[in-house]
Amino acid sequence: KKMQNSPDFKDALKKTKAAMDDPNTLAKMQAKIEHMANVGKHELKKQAKDDMAEAMNALYTNPAVMEEAKKLVTDPNFASYIKDMATDPAFKNYVGAMKEMMEDPATKKRLAQMTDSIKASL
């Protein structure tokens, strides 16, 4: 409350209001916000893609991870778990990353091989 009554705070509010009333300043601020949002979205997508690539690599190269994946897939609660994850907004980044990754023929082939390997051992 002290801050709200301080002269510096009141002065900053006046300057902010003046900036918001100026169409040029407002346009610049909006452009900066949009740019920051786009950069953030791109970074989230990139991180999700990197995470998925790392997970796929672990499945492909580490027999212990593959065995754990096989156990997980055969768990009766697995479908419910995936359904719950699908409602998580953070998981949507990973779905988007996978969708892009699946456009790559090499990744598609590698995933098919992993899927076949899991199916063959069940």
Side-chain angles (χ1 to χ4, degrees):
K1 231 175 179 177
K2 281 184 179 181
M3 190 172 108
Q4 289 178 342
N5 295 326
S6 75
D8 290 338
F9 182 76
K10 289 180 180 179
D11 186 47
L13 279 177
K14 285 179 187 174
K15 287 180 181 177
T16 301
K17 183 176 178 346
M20 298 298 264
D21 289 341
D22 177 24
N24 290 329
T25 304
L26 184 60
K28 287 178 187 177
M29 290 171 61
Q30 285 176 330
K32 283 182 184 181
I33 290 169
E34 286 176 19
H35 174 72
M36 289 187 318
N38 286 335
V39 168
K41 184 178 178 182
H42 175 74
E43 286 300 314
L44 285 173
K45 196 176 204 179
K46 182 184 179 310
Q47 185 61 51
K49 192 173 181 179
D50 291 349
D51 289 347
M52 291 306 298
E54 185 178 337
M56 286 178 64
N57 189 51
L59 279 168
Y60 196 69
T61 60
N62 188 332
V65 173
M66 181 61 86
E67 284 302 314
E68 193 63 34
K70 290 175 189 175
K71 288 178 192 173
L72 184 65
V73 171
T74 57
D75 182 342
N77 297 319
F78 181 69
S80 173
Y81 176 68
I82 293 297
K83 189 177 179 181
D84 290 344
M85 282 178 53
T87 61
D88 181 353
F91 186 68
K92 290 181 183 180
N93 286 324
Y94 292 96
V95 172
M98 278 301 290
K99 191 174 181 179
E100 277 189 22
M101 290 172 74
M102 290 308 294
E103 293 172 4
D104 175 37
T107 302
K108 196 180 270 189
K109 181 180 177 183
R110 193 171 183 190
L111 186 60
Q113 290 171 337
M114 287 188 291
T115 302
D116 291 344
S117 174
I118 290 172
K119 283 181 182 178
S121 67
L122 296 177

